[in-house]
Amino acid sequence: MRTLDTIMTTVRIPEDWPTTEAEARAVQDELRDRVVLDEPGPPPGTGRVTGVDVAYDDERGVVAAAAVVLDAATLAVVARATAVGRVSFPYVPGLLAFREIPTVLAALEALHLDPGLVVCDGYGLAHPRRFGLASHLGVLTGLPTIGVAKNPFTFAYVEPAAPRGSTAPLLAGADEVGRAVRTQAGVKPVFVSVGHRVSLDTACAHTLALAPKHRVPESTRRADALCREALKEAVARPGARSPEYGN
DNA sequence: GCGACAG
DNA sequence: ATCTTGTCGC
């Protein structure tokens, strides 16, 4: 048995990618009703779960994404892919998807296998316009997606009880837009929301199953480590993959 | 108008 | 996200 290969690719930002905040918000308003909310989603502990994450070198305008596929039952790594490109949008709260999606899409496509449930680092429905990164990625790919964030963003939440597995609503006014999930006893919860084609209960169950030893899901931890590696490599050896990172 | 604000 | 040393703990 040899080391698992990592597929590496580069990104080209679409010609019609939004340039201004107004354009980006318009895209969100146009795509938001394509989110599917009436499917339960894949059962936890079966099939595949894929973590995606992105790392940046804003000085050089370089971005790297990683997609790591896990066996949902064992959490063993099944496949990995990375993509490197140029930053496509500045960080603007509420518009994170426009900064992360081109590179994440390239990494997912490079996988050449069904990713199963995609776990994003950020939010889905818990978003000012109910269309965060996870929902956006779901609509673009048709894949079931969820968002697991490390911070409550602008939302209010009730502190979950101390035991692992405790949950409490994440609130936008009176609406439960997500859930605070305690993945480790006595440790700050993570904030789970529905992306696309998955129920909130299923999203929370997957999150708990993916975090048996750490606060953050194993999928996200693996993707985080891999995209950082890819970014280092890309900055150290520009053009090693293809000229100008594809752009 | 001012501050807060996923990554 | 990223900048950053040492340090306590499994």
Side-chain angles (χ1 to χ4, degrees), chain A residues 15-237:
Chain A
E15 293 301 325
D16 60 345
W17 200 247
T19 299
T20 67
E21 296 184 21
E23 286 172 8
R25 284 193 296 271
V27 170
Q28 292 181 328
D29 290 334
E30 186 201 314
L31 296 180
R32 60 191 286 187
D33 39 291
R34 309 237 279 246
V35 177
V36 173
L37 301 174
D38 61 1
E39 290 182 30
T46 63
R48 296 194 278 246
V49 174
T50 296
V52 293
D53 196 17
V54 184
Y56 301 91
D57 184 327
D58 279 307
E59 290 294 286
R60 305 176 190 241
V62 182
V63 55
V68 179
V69 185
L70 305 185
D71 179 287
T74 64
L75 304 191
V77 178
V78 172
R80 333 191 287 170
T82 63
V84 171
R86 310 290 317 202
V87 170
S88 56
F89 208 83
Y91 171 65
V92 180
L95 301 178
L96 178 63
F98 297 92
R99 182 168 169 78
E100 307 221 319
I101 279 186
T103 325
V104 167
L105 271 182
L108 279 175
E109 286 164 8
L111 242 24
H112 292 299
L113 59 74
D114 186 338
L117 175 76
V118 178
V119 180
C120 299
D121 199 356
Y123 281 115
L125 288 189
H127 178 272
R129 288 169 293 282
R130 301 296 181 272
F131 195 69
L133 168 63
S135 297
H136 199 147
L137 185 64
V139 165
L140 260 38
T141 60
L143 297 167
T145 61
I146 67 173
V148 180
K150 296 181 287 296
N151 295 293
F153 198 10
T154 61
F155 303 103
Y157 69 101
V158 180
E159 192 68 37
R164 161 178 153 83
S166 303
T167 68
L170 184 67
L171 303 168
D175 301 335
E176 183 182 35
V177 294
R179 216 165 269 166
V181 177
R182 188 92 67 189
T183 55
Q184 295 297 310
V187 174
K188 177 180 176 176
V190 292
F191 305 90
V192 179
S193 62
V194 166
H196 182 60
R197 300 180 54 200
V198 183
S199 71
L200 183 53
D201 281 343
T202 301
C204 291
H206 274 284
T207 300
L208 203 54
L210 287 166
K213 298 288 184 185
H214 300 274
R215 175 168 91 110
V216 171
E218 216 52 42
S219 41
T220 300
R221 300 184 75 241
R222 297 319 255 267
D224 178 79
L226 183 55
C227 70
R228 289 191 201 209
E229 264 182 48
L231 181 64
K232 267 190 193 176
E233 170 64 22
V235 169
R237 267 179 286 294

